């Protein structure tokens, strides 16, 4: 079997690692991949937004299955383009992916479907947004409606901050066209949760619940990043809560999408906030989460490839094929000094030999590449994800931290507290 994985981050390395585990004989290509995917997949020098070139490649190499990591190509219509050419690809069409591509659309859809989410208003005129913000009062969350690489949501504790955020998006065009329309949301306080569902547009199966750690600093302080770590499972997301999310959030959302001729096939990611135990949607994503995927996939025993193949081939979701192994996983992200601000690249990375030999540690690459001499160097803000496995989150986190300490590169920064909420819960018994 020949598989093409589109993307270059830790999520894509995790997908490739998992697919290779399920199908060791598969020939996997990564477009473009990174310094770590090279061991498992042949690198193809194409970027995720080069949709036509990717389709040409898939066509010429008889690719049996394409899996897309990032949102931008999905929103841009990579699935539509592949399907038009009869190429098998796993993921939602552009119309379905709009659930991530336009927050204004997602909020309107949720309202229509009766899905709980923060109160909001949508604006495309700055004066009106400012009037609303001043009348409403703080705290508020100001969000660019379009894709902004995870940086388009600003939690504002004062009215002035919110007005400034709206101005930066709508007047100063900080996120280009993505900020021409904004959503202003009520602030919700509570613990966050990521629930990823595989779906054929009608039925949906949840993967293991996980939690991301977005802020750069320990104790969730400082600027938001693309994610400094994640863990799974999350004990507060018990079967009862997941059932509520499935019945009251996911299935109604899928039905509303179908009604609008936007049948969603692929991974639907619900970013939730628990307010007094009740789940509210903060955002929907049309793809696997990063870094949640790095913690979630190692907990799955088998069946992912079968589901991808089935859904890419136009079939229904085969729920019976899922198996989860027990235990827990913690992914600690190693970042470059300065991230999420500016940082230097090209730093030599040393991974001790034998670090991954005990089956309880997996090193997944994100911002790495091989220099002309073949040496591994940093090439991004988030450099590596170190996944520790264990009987519980406390044990998995300890293993992940050990691995994170052992890997060296100049300017290495990481949070030592990934999973702290769950570790506190485990300590409390
Ligand atoms: P988003 O880009 O919508 O995923 O938001 C990024 C982050 O901003 C989330 O992970 C939350 O921490 C925070 N956030 C977004 N919306 C809200 C909200 N309505 N209330 C509180 N925090 C929010
Ligand atoms: N971990 C957040 C995201 O993938 O959007």
């Amino acid at each position: 079997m020949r598989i093409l994985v589109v993307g270059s981050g830790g999520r894509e390395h995790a997908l490739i690692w998992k697919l290779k585990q399920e199908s060791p004989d598969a020939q996997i290509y990564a477009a473009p991949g990174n310094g770590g995917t090279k061991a498992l997949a042949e690198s193809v020098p194409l970027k995720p937004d080069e949709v036509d070139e990717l389709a040409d490649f898939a066509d010429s190499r008889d690719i049996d299955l394409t899996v897309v990591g990032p949102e931008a190509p999905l929103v841009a219509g990579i699935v539509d383009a592949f399907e038009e050419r009869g190429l098998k690809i796993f993921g939602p069409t552009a119309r379905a992916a709009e659930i991530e591509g336009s927050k204004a659309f997602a909020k309107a859809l949720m309202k229509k479907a009766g899905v709980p989410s923060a109160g909001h208003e949508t604006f495309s005129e700055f004066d009106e947004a400012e009037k609303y913000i001043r009348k409403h009062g703080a705290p508020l969350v100001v969000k660019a409606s379009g894709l902004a690489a995870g940086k388009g949501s600003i939690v504002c504790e004062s009215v002035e901050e919110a007005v400034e955020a709206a101005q930066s998006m709508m007047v100063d065009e900080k996120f280009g066209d993505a900020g021409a329309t904004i959503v202003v949301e009520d602030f919700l306080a509570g613990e966050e949760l990521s629930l990823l569902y595989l779906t054929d547009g009608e039925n949906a199966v949840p993967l293991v619940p996980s939690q991301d750690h977005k802020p750069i600093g320990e104790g969730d302080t400082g600027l938001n990043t693309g994610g400094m770590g994640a863990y799974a499972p999350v004990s507060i997301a018990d079967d009862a809560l997941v059932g509520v999310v499935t019945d009251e959030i996911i299935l109604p959302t899928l039905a509303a999408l179908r009604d609008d001729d936007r049948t969603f096939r692929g991974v639907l990611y619900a970013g939730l906030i628990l307010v007094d135990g009740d789940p509210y949607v903060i955002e929907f994503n049309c793809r696997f989460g990063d870094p949640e995927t790095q913690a979630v996939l190692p907990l799955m025993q088998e069946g992912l490839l079968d589901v991808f193949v089935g859904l890419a081939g136009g079939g229904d979701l085969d729920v019976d094929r899922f198996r989860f192994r027990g235990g827990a996983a913690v992914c600690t992200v190693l970042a470059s000094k300065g991230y999420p601000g500016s940082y230097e690249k090209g730093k030599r990375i040393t991974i001790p030999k034998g670090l991954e030999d005990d089956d309880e540690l997996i090193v997944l690459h994100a911002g790495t590449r091989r220099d002309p001499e073949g040496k591994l160097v940093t090439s991004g803000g988030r450099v590596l994800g170190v996944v520790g496995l264990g009987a519980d989150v406390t044990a998995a986190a300890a293993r992940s931290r050990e691995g994170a300490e052992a890997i060296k590169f100049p300017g290495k920064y990481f949070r030592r507290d990934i999973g702290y909420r769950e570790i506190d819960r485990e300590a409390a018994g």
Side-chain angles (χ1 to χ4, degrees):
M1 174 166 224
R2 294 159 175 274
I3 304 170
L4 171 64
V5 174
V6 177
S8 63
R11 164 184 52 205
E12 288 76 20
H13 192 181
L15 282 163
I16 291 168
W17 174 87
K18 183 70 189 153
L19 294 173
K20 194 75 185 171
Q21 212 177 44
E22 291 193 1
S23 179
D25 296 333
Q27 166 78 46
I28 304 184
Y29 299 89
N34 60 41
T37 59
K38 277 194 160 58
L40 304 170
E42 188 176 316
S43 299
V44 182
L46 289 173
K47 296 205 194 74
D49 61 357
E50 295 179 288
V51 170
D52 290 335
E53 290 83 354
L54 288 166
D56 289 342
F57 176 83
D59 211 359
S60 66
R61 298 295 177 100
D62 289 328
I63 298 293
D64 301 296
L65 169 72
T66 297
V67 180
V68 185
E71 61 277 10
L74 293 166
V75 171
I78 189 170
V79 170
D80 311 69
F82 271 55
E83 285 180 347
E84 262 169 37
R85 294 175 62 165
L87 297 164
K88 298 230 164 39
I89 184 164
F90 170 78
T93 59
R95 276 179 66 75
E98 207 171 337
I99 198 163
E100 176 168 2
S102 163
K103 287 191 193 284
F105 167 73
K107 292 296 282 188
L109 185 86
M110 283 188 262
K111 208 169 195 172
K112 199 169 99 189
V115 166
S117 80
H120 83 285
E121 291 292 334
T122 299
F123 299 96
S124 33
E125 298 293 340
F126 170 66
D127 292 350
E128 284 170 25
E130 180 178 9
K131 225 185 283 165
Y132 174 79
I133 290 167
R134 293 198 185 281
K135 197 165 136 223
H136 185 286
L140 276 173
V141 188
V142 176
K143 301 183 172 187
S145 178
L147 293 185
K151 301 193 179 92
S153 295
I154 304 179
V155 177
C156 304
E157 279 161 25
S158 70
V159 162
E160 286 317 314
E161 221 181 309
V163 170
E164 229 169 82
Q167 183 163 8
S168 74
M169 292 176 192
M170 306 182 84
V171 181
D172 307 337
E173 300 180 6
K174 185 174 172 192
F175 303 111
D177 287 349
T181 298
I182 66 165
V183 169
V184 182
E185 264 185 30
D186 297 348
F187 175 81
L188 299 177
E191 194 164 336
E192 289 180 44
L193 184 69
S194 302
L195 264 177
L196 282 65
Y197 285 78
L198 286 164
T199 177
D200 58 11
E202 202 163 337
N203 296 304
V205 194
L207 303 185
V208 188
S210 58
Q211 199 172 71
D212 188 4
H213 296 58
K214 287 206 171 99
I216 186 75
E218 288 176 11
D220 288 323
T221 52
L223 291 176
N224 264 347
T225 70
M228 293 302 295
Y231 71 90
V234 184
S235 60
I236 51 171
D238 56 12
D239 288 351
L241 179 69
V242 174
V244 168
V245 174
T246 305
D247 294 342
E248 294 176 14
I249 291 176
I250 301 299
L251 297 180
T253 298
L254 292 172
L257 284 164
R258 281 200 310 277
D259 286 349
D260 201 21
D261 197 18
R262 296 172 189 266
T263 300
F264 188 106
R265 299 168 61 83
V267 181
L268 183 60
Y269 164 139
L272 306 163
I273 211 158
L274 301 178
V275 182
D276 299 325
D278 294 327
Y280 285 73
V281 177
I282 287 195
E283 63 166 348
F284 279 118
N285 292 324
C286 64
R287 39 134 186 114
F288 281 97
D290 190 338
E292 290 94 328
T293 303
Q294 291 88 309
V296 167
L297 292 190
L299 297 179
M300 291 183 61
Q301 250 170 17
E302 61 189 55
L304 194 64
L305 177 58
D306 285 348
V307 171
F308 285 175
V309 169
L311 290 176
D316 293 340
L317 184 66
D318 189 343
V319 187
D320 292 341
R321 286 190 210 159
F322 276 112
R323 300 285 180 274
F324 295 110
R325 77 196 272 289
V330 172
C331 173
T332 299
V333 170
L334 306 186
S336 299
K337 189 174 131 203
Y339 176 78
S342 58
Y343 52 83
E344 292 178 11
K345 298 181 187 178
K347 307 289 181 199
R348 272 282 296 282
I349 303 168
T350 315
I351 303 176
K353 275 209 171 65
L355 188 67
E356 295 177 84
D357 283 357
D358 65 1
D359 286 341
E360 284 182 351
L361 199 94
I362 309 158
V363 179
L364 296 170
H365 294 228
T368 74
R369 65 177 176 81
R370 296 273 167 196
D371 71 6
E373 292 162 33
K375 305 263 192 268
L376 194 66
V377 296
T378 66
S379 68
R382 291 189 296 166
V383 177
L384 294 160
V386 185
V387 183
L389 300 169
D392 56 16
V393 171
T394 305
R399 193 73 189 93
S400 172
R401 260 195 319 271
E402 247 173 59
E405 299 281 3
I407 295 172
K408 308 281 185 210
F409 60 85
K412 177 184 76 174
Y413 168 81
F414 67 98
R415 281 181 59 170
R416 290 179 167 77
D417 67 342
I418 304 303
Y420 71 94
R421 289 190 190 84
E422 193 67 33
I423 291 169
D424 287 350
R425 282 192 280 268
E426 287 175 355

